[in-house]
Amino acid sequence: MENVILVTGGAGFIGSNFILQRMELDPASIVNLDTLTYAGNLHNLAAIANEQRYEFVQGDIADRQLVRHLLNRRKPRAIVHLAAESHVDRSIRGPDDFIRTNVGGTFALLEEVRAYWRGLADQDRKNFRLLHVSTDEVFGSLDSEDPAFSETTAYAPNSPYAASKAASDHLVRAYHHTYGLPVLTTNCSNNYGRFQFPEKLIPLMVLNARDGKPLPVYGDGQNVRDWLYVEDHCEAIATVLDRGRVGETYNIGGGNEKRNIEIVETICDTVDEMAGRRGPSRRQLITFVRDRPGHDRRYAMDARKIERELGWRPRETFESGIRKTVRWYLENADWVRDVTSGSYRQWIATHYSS
Ligand code: NAD
Ligand code: TYD
């Protein structure tokens, strides 16, 4: 077995941050399997595209033959499974792709990985790991007084996205209990940082604020999310992969519970400061719009297990992380232009007009 990590969905937001971080800090070779949906962007990985230790393979995790050949050719010691459809609003408008990739794709991957793993030599079989990246959304919604989600909180997914991720988590768990596949699962809170596709809250608001467009806040803006800086998340994934206990799940959070309206106001003030302002505060652009159906009220993660067992905790404060993020979007207009293609503009037009 080679010192190779196979990353699925490595051209997406978290995947590309993870690959760039690992290429810098880890001697392992990285194979990136990504089908390049609207959310996948190889420009994120331009800095390492020609490195010997990196290989990109365009393909679907549900393509079993392709996955089988790739596993047998590259013989990875670990798989970090990030490939998914990831946007709640899109799952509400069209759940099919979510079931196909998140459930069917994960199942196909598990089947091929199981066959590959069974064929490994004893020591390699022992050392092999599949790390499945999941979300806090599988636990449902909290009231303001409820304790944060822990690893033993019962699953109660509320959106098609959350249900598809919950299903994939259950499959991963079952492959460990039934077949002994050495899996790890991480459930993390909302990530933010560079390379996030601008349909998600933070980049959407930064770019609309930059351009003087309305800032569409769903419902009353009082929904709470726990924000995790993407590079902290990537370090957590690497930590669990190296030292996590097989078969366990680890919650990962940023310890930053914020109401959506607070986030949007902070973005307005930061863009005013960094991009300068000619007219009134960008807070004037905030527009309350119709709520998302079934909108979960609050997510919060209890991340004490990963801290206690593995010594991980986030380095970034929200104040410093959001400044870095806003600056990145303002300074990378080319990247933004690149991803806000025809299909992106169509999504924004359809979603926010109804
Ligand atoms: P993303 O949408 O930015 O990227 C997903 C990537 O997967 C894209 O590059 C896409 O091309 C690829 N992909 C989609 N379907 C595929 C398929 N069938 N085969 C191969 N590749 C495919 O998502 P992200 O925000 O980077 O999230 C990565 C993972 O982390 C997902 O599993 C998501 O559920 C989970 N997660 C994300 C967050 C967050 O805040 N972004 C929070 C919790 C969990
Ligand atoms: P999002 O980034 O879609 O992540 P998730 O729904 O997975 O938590 O949204 C974060 C929060 O921001 C969520 O409560 C919905 C809200 N939101 C808005 O108010 N307006 C928007 O335009 C978007 C995209 C999200």
Side-chain angles (χ1 to χ4, degrees):
M1 207 165 53
E2 313 290 329
N3 185 11
V4 172
I5 301 173
L6 172 63
V7 177
T8 70
F13 163 47
I14 299 171
S16 50
N17 277 290
F18 179 76
I19 290 175
L20 292 174
Q21 189 185 79
R22 284 302 94 202
M23 288 294 287
E24 203 179 309
L25 301 176
D26 199 314
S29 295
I30 306 263
V31 180
N32 173 11
L33 173 64
D34 195 303
T35 195
L36 299 181
T37 67
Y38 76 94
N41 182 2
L42 286 181
H43 290 298
N44 301 352
L45 295 159
I48 55 142
N50 296 320
E51 291 217 12
Q52 289 260 310
R53 285 194 294 128
Y54 171 73
E55 181 187 355
F56 171 67
V57 176
Q58 182 169 9
D60 192 322
I61 53 166
D63 181 343
R64 290 186 54 167
Q65 201 178 357
L66 178 138
V67 171
R68 188 177 318 143
H69 286 146
L70 184 59
L71 291 171
N72 290 326
R73 179 169 66 80
R74 293 304 310 264
K75 304 202 177 344
R77 66 169 172 82
I79 298 176
V80 176
H81 177 36
L82 290 142
E85 290 292 336
S86 69
H87 186 38
V88 174
D89 292 318
R90 285 186 189 254
S91 84
I92 293 168
R93 281 182 187 275
D96 304 56
D97 285 347
F98 288 74
I99 303 306
R100 201 190 64 77
T101 286
N102 301 1
V103 186
T106 299
F107 167 69
L109 182 71
L110 283 167
E111 276 294 89
E112 290 307 322
V113 170
R114 179 164 75 95
Y116 163 73
W117 168 75
R118 241 189 351 223
L120 293 173
D122 281 357
Q123 197 55 39
D124 290 344
R125 203 178 317 121
K126 224 182 233 146
N127 293 337
F128 180 82
R129 298 286 181 272
L130 173 100
L131 188 151
H132 170 62
V133 176
S134 190
T135 169
D136 55 4
E137 306 198 20
V138 297
F139 299 119
S141 185
L142 294 169
D143 288 331
S144 56
E145 306 304 317
D146 289 339
F149 301 128
S150 77
E151 287 79 2
T152 54
T153 301
Y155 274 33
N158 287 326
S159 69
Y161 164 68
S164 69
K165 291 297 291 187
S168 67
D169 295 6
H170 291 326
L171 284 170
V172 169
R173 175 190 160 89
Y175 272 63
H176 174 64
H177 281 267
T178 305
Y179 305 114
L181 192 69
V183 304
L184 299 150
T185 296
T186 55
N187 293 79
C188 71
S189 60
N190 287 59
N191 283 222
Y192 70 103
R194 66 176 174 173
F195 303 141
Q196 187 166 32
F197 196 72
E199 64 187 359
K200 302 275 172 80
L201 180 73
I202 288 183
L204 180 89
M205 295 297 169
V206 174
L207 297 177
N208 281 14
R210 180 194 71 178
D211 297 342
K213 293 183 180 161
L215 306 176
V217 174
Y218 297 161
D220 60 6
Q222 300 299 313
N223 303 67
V224 172
R225 299 290 184 265
D226 169 4
W227 293 93
L228 171 65
Y229 191 60
V230 66
E231 292 188 27
D232 281 331
H233 181 207
C234 293
E235 283 182 3
I237 293 173
T239 304
V240 174
L241 186 61
D242 283 353
R243 291 185 280 115
R245 285 188 292 134
V246 167
E248 292 290 313
T249 68
Y250 293 89
N251 281 3
I252 305 169
N256 294 306
E257 278 189 60
K258 305 268 180 213
R259 291 174 294 125
N260 291 342
I261 190 68
E262 284 179 71
I263 300 278
V264 178
E265 287 174 351
T266 302
I267 290 172
C268 289
D269 298 346
T270 312
V271 175
D272 276 347
E273 180 204 317
M274 291 182 181
R277 76 171 208 221
R278 279 186 292 268
S281 156
R282 283 177 170 83
R283 289 187 184 211
Q284 304 285 323
L285 298 168
I286 293 173
T287 312
F288 291 93
V289 300
R290 199 177 69 193
D291 208 355
R292 171 189 281 172
H295 194 176
D296 284 340
R297 196 62 175 167
R298 171 174 167 245
Y299 302 142
M301 278 307 224
D302 176 345
R304 283 178 296 180
K305 177 175 172 183
I306 185 173
E307 178 167 2
R308 194 175 58 242
E309 288 191 12
L310 308 177
W312 175 89
R313 70 161 88 156
R315 297 173 195 267
E316 203 72 47
T317 64
F318 185 74
E319 291 64 36
S320 60
I322 193 73
R323 289 185 71 78
K324 282 187 194 173
T325 304
V326 171
R327 192 178 298 286
W328 189 86
Y329 280 93
L330 295 179
E331 287 178 351
N332 286 276
D334 288 352
W335 183 93
V336 171
R337 211 169 310 133
D338 220 73
V339 299
T340 48
S341 63
S343 77
Y344 170 77
R345 281 197 293 274
Q346 197 182 335
W347 162 255
I348 296 291
T350 319
H351 182 60
Y352 291 101
S353 70
S354 49

